[in-house]
Amino acid sequence: MDDFIYRDPGKENGEEAGQALGVDGAVRSRSTGLFCEGVPLSRIAREVGTPVYVYSYNTLTRHFRVFDEAFDGIPHVICFAMKANSNLAVVRSFSALGGGADVVSGGELFRALRAGVMPSKIVYAGVGKTVSEIEAALKAGILMFNIESQEELLAIDGVAGRLGVRAPIALRVNPDVDAKTHPYISTGLKKNKFGISIEQAMDEYERAEALPNVKVVGIHQHIGSQLTEISPFVDSLKKTAELVRKLKSRGLGIKYIDVGGGLGIRYLNEKPPLPSDLARAIRPVLEDLGCTLVFEPGRVLAGNAGCLVTKVLYRKSTQEKNFIIVDAGMNDLVRPTLYQAYHEIKQVITTDAPEFLADVVGPICETGDFLAKDRAMRVPQPGELLAVMSAGAYGFTMSSNYNSRPRAAEVMVEGDRYYIVRRREDYEGLVSGEEIPEFLGEKAAHDAQRARQGTR
Ligand SMILES: *Cc1c(COP(=O)(O)O)cnc(C)c1O
């Protein structure tokens, strides 16, 4: 369920849709079409420009609450996976409800702290943590590091020793289960780069326990993303629970079981389990272990709470295909290109134009630059607005400046107001940090010109 709805105020208010008299006497078109909460997307596009990401605050927080309530009665922390959407306003929306953060870099840690996440609710995963990132996390006092390798464990022990602290750690175990999702977002198989195999985990835990500057506090797993079945969660957690029992019997202090993220969402016709289904399935597996559960949901909280609004620039038809060229490209939303992902595309203002099959493509000079392929849609007019749905997760965070395209603006809607939560990047922003070295500077340019003149 989300808060992107079509509205026809004429019907809603029992009035005629169409023209209405504004306060200043000007005739205004009454707003209809696709709304985010109480705000027409057409208004946001007009005032902020396109492409623009639009997030619904009330959908974000409803998703958080639904997840939270599903685990009522079990001690738990919900650490939003920031790589799904790291906008400060989004992260704050969750932390204000008691949420924490799952970070995978020093940059995300910085954002989490800036957004006001309590350090004691931050978990830090990722296979390549650097010394300075480890230092920053130790100084902040995070809940725990999720360790991905033995060498990383030794590095953290070293840094903690230097700082005179003990680093709280969990080992990320790889339970070797098939998450039955796209290979690029499957992480819990033996062949994946993540975690420590569950067979080696016991030895690694004993090695960790013997280190002077780390403290074993938990266990972590994360088997993949966009999971649409419950069984991989249950199968992997059974293995993890068995290991926890063994660890406890050897006196290791496992306080936290970090279940990871991965719950899928509906993009097209998937029927992913609800948080309550997940809770019902895993409660019996984990309940009697007496641990606090940590969850790292990303997509399920943010995915269907956002869309990307883009404008149609041109249409063209070849003998093979119809193309709709829009002002958002793979640099703004890379999921279709990277994962052949499906995103529903809606007209912001519905029309009764005839339907055709078209590829919706961006302005980037790459054949892979598309948002949809062979999509049945109404023939749009240039200037028409389209909303690319389910873009609240892994949308803006995966965007880039490829083709020197400034990054899109981000907007958050709350009720009938909207807020720009990240302004559109400008051209100066695009080159900030770049420099032309002196040897290429004015004098060099002058010399080059003289050399050319001399050869005439
Ligand atoms: C990506 C990731 C998540 C979030 O995954 P979702 O599918 O968005 O819920 C959680 N934990 C870790 C370690 C991750 O890498």
Side-chain angles (χ1 to χ4, degrees), residues 80-140:
F80 174 56
M82 283 182 57
K83 73 179 193 288
N85 188 327
S86 59
N87 185 283
L88 295 178
V90 171
V91 178
R92 170 69 66 94
S93 304
F94 297 133
S95 68
L97 298 177
D102 162 37
V103 306
V104 293
S105 72
E108 285 189 355
L109 174 64
F110 174 83
R111 282 177 174 278
L113 297 172
R114 181 62 68 89
V117 180
M118 282 166 62
S120 61
K121 292 183 178 178
I122 296 176
V123 292
Y124 187 175
V127 295
K129 304 174 188 81
T130 66
V131 166
S132 62
E133 289 176 320
I134 294 165
E135 252 175 39
L138 283 171
K139 283 179 182 160

Side-chain angles (χ1 to χ4, degrees), residues 169-183:
I169 62 117
L171 294 191
R172 177 174 183 169
V173 296
N174 184 334
D176 193 30
V177 296
D178 187 355
K180 303 191 183 88
T181 184
H182 190 284

